[in-house]
Amino acid sequence: MTSAHTAVRLQAVSAPDQPDVTPALEELYRGFEQELLVPLWTEIGDLMPAHPRSRAVPHLWRWAHLVGLAERAGELVPVGRGGERRAIALANPALGGRPFATPTLWAAIQYLMPGEDAPEHRHTQHAFRFVVEGSGVWTVVGGDAVPMNRGDFLPQAGWNWHAHHNATDEPMAWVDGLDIPFQYVTETQFFEFGRDELSAAERTTPERSRSERLWAHPGLRPVGVGEVRPGTPLLSYKWEHTDRALTDQLAVEREGFGGTVEPGHAAVRYTDPSTGGDVLPTIRAELHRVVRGVETAPVRETGSSVYQVFDGSGTVTVGDQTWSVSRGDLFVVPAWQAFSARSEAGDTDSDSGALDLFRFSDAPVFEALGLDRQETVR
Ligand code: 1HN
């Protein structure tokens, strides 16, 4: 990172919408540079495009490659105070080598060795974990030990104390999503170290967290439990519930009663049981299931998304890129680039026989600001 100041540089060009290039114009431009001024007429095309032109580009990361490197990091890089997490972030190739998957979203693979602890801390960045394989780690949020198993989605709003600990003799990898790039550009970040060690009570390994016992009963909210703001009080959305919701949604559609996004494409959004809104103020998360042989309609939206293939195989198209994908692969959909998915038979057949895609996005930010737009590209 550099704090060097950048000078204003103005290039007089001859173009139909630009003033005639004369020595006097050149002199005017040198005057602008001197005073750190930039006229609108040289910049308007970049500042006000007809539609979003993301700096980010579509990109795919193969899960097998990420896991191989994370395993190696497990051997070579200790986890502890200072570095805090053995997390390895996806860097969009068009975002200057920074650990930014998109201009607003961070996505990383995190790896914890048998018996290891990732120390307690808290930050304003909103976060979640999503588990595509493995088990054995408990994330401890505000003293509540929450198990992490395949298919579980674990949101954790900013400013909650949290640590992780691997209670088993197997290493475990998972995906972290945070709004780090968003809070970086908006300059809203705060961070604090917590205790160096978890208590014995926090190092227990319950099957269900306190938060699930209070909040994970459909349509039932505990009376008298104060709300935890901001973000959802439910710290784990278990796969068995997500899977059943998708299976049921497709069954209702097959019976002729609709209920899906489009034919053969079911989806659920993870929501805050106390509000029905998104789980985190800056991050939306969903699980999409595309039935074998179905191709979804191409849709483009403001805001950006990161997807991870949870199960099955198929091909996905983002803007002008098409990739064959299978379990664990991650890819980004930049703003206003059309996305569609086709579910196909592949090497890794899923339990459901479908293509299951986990998705997270920055949609809540743009909805709050009235900047959300979406269209189907025909
Ligand atoms: C963090 O606290 C976690 O708690 C993961 O697992 C990734 C990236 C940057 C800063 C803090 C975690 C993170 C992070």
Side-chain angles (χ1 to χ4, degrees), residues 85 87 106 110 121 123 129 156 162 164 174 176 178 180:
R85 300 292 184 260
W106 159 290
Q110 186 169 160
H121 64 209
H123 40 71
R129 339 252 156 243
Q156 176 221 293
H162 59 285
H164 315 307
W174 66 89
D176 294 307
L178 293 93
I180 292 173

Side-chain angles (χ1 to χ4, degrees), residues 261-267 288-291 293-299 307 315-317 338-343 355 357 376-378:
V261 179
E262 57 191 329
H265 173 191
H288 289 251
R289 175 166 293 171
V290 184
V291 170
V294 168
E295 178 161 13
T296 66
V299 172
Y307 282 79
T315 56
V316 295
T317 300
F339 168 71
S340 67
R342 183 177 177 76
S343 177
L355 176 63
L357 297 170
T376 303
V377 184
R378 306 227 173 254

Side-chain angles (χ1 to χ4, degrees), residues 112-162:
L112 212 50
M113 298 291 276
E116 270 186 339
D117 285 353
E120 189 184 56
H121 64 209
R122 64 176 177 177
H123 40 71
T124 47
Q125 288 86 353
H126 302 293
F128 71 80
R129 339 252 156 243
F130 182 69
V131 184
V132 75
E133 64 187 15
S135 58
V137 168
W138 272 254
T139 182
V140 184
V141 182
D144 192 10
V146 194
M148 295 171 58
N149 294 295
R150 171 164 158 78
D152 295 349
F153 169 71
L154 301 101
Q156 176 221 293
W159 216 236
N160 283 295
W161 293 111
H162 59 285

